[in-house]
Each structure stands twice: as C-alpha cells, then as structure tokens.
C-alpha cells in the first residue's frame, strides 16, 4: 500500500493526537489512524471524490476528526516516542498491501 508523502505538519498533528491518549494506546491508535487514512485514499480514488465520513485520503483530513493536545502540553521525550510509534505504523500499513490488514507483523 502506498500513502502519499506525509508533510511535517501532518506528522506533528498526528503526534499531538497520539499524545492526547494514554501511552499504552498509542500503537493501536497509530495503526487505526494510518489505516483509516489509507482506506480513505482508496475510497476517494475509486469514487473520484472525497468520502463524506472518511475524507480525501490525506492524513490531515483524517486528523481533522481527532482530538489532540496543544503544542505547549508536550515534551520532547514523549513526542519522540509517539513519532517512533507512528513511523512503525506507517511502515506496517505500507508493507501490508492492505488498508484493512490486521496490523500484526
């Protein structure tokens, strides 16, 4: 599966969305976030337009429906851990070949 290039702004917002959750939930939430984005991209490409609930297949569109912490509420260590978990989720989804895959590697 291929996701479009992720911008620094999208990665920052995705990290802030993960930081809103308890740390134990980050891996599952990151997988869900990336899989939802990938599924939205597939649906939007097939339909030729954005899906009303899933969006247009960009991470930014998916994140518009997620709560997140403000930048002032973050610390570098937690941000780095969340970014690492997010990066692994992107790798899993992109290598699985399916937006609806199990998330297990």
């Amino acid at each position: 599966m291929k996701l479009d290039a992720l911008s620094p702004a999208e990665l920052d917002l995705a990290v802030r969305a993960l930081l809103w959750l308890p740390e134990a939930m980050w891996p599952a939430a990151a997988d869900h976030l990336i899989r939802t984005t990938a599924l939205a991209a597939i649906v939007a490409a097939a339909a030729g337009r954005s899906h009303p609930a899933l969006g247009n297949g960009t991470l930014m569109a998916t994140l518009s429906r997620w709560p997140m912490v403000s930048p002032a509420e973050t610390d570098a260590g937690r941000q780095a851990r969340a970014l690492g978990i997010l990066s692994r989720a992107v790798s899993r989804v992109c290598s699985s070949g399916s937006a609806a895959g199990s998330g297990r590697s």
Side-chain angles (χ1 to χ4, degrees):
M1 153 144 310
K2 178 186 174 296
L3 289 175
D4 288 337
L6 301 177
S7 74
E10 288 176 309
L11 293 174
D12 178 60
L13 291 176
V15 164
R16 288 178 37 211
L18 292 180
L19 292 173
W20 187 82
L21 299 166
E23 198 162 338
M25 294 178 67
W26 291 356
D31 278 353
H32 179 74
L33 175 64
I34 299 303
R35 289 182 190 289
T36 300
T37 300
L39 178 61
I42 292 167
V43 171
R49 60 183 172 80
S50 294
H51 186 277
L54 296 175
N56 62 5
T58 64
L59 188 55
M60 192 69 75
T62 304
L63 287 165
S64 70
R65 295 167 179 82
W66 283 55
M68 59 190 68
V69 299
S70 74
E73 298 177 59
T74 63
D75 71 70
R78 291 188 80 222
Q79 283 179 313
R81 288 192 303 277
L83 183 58
I85 287 170
L86 182 65
S87 296
R88 287 188 291 280
V90 170
S91 293
R92 276 191 300 273
V93 171
C94 290
S95 66
S96 75
S98 169
S102 69
R104 306 273 183 222
S105 348

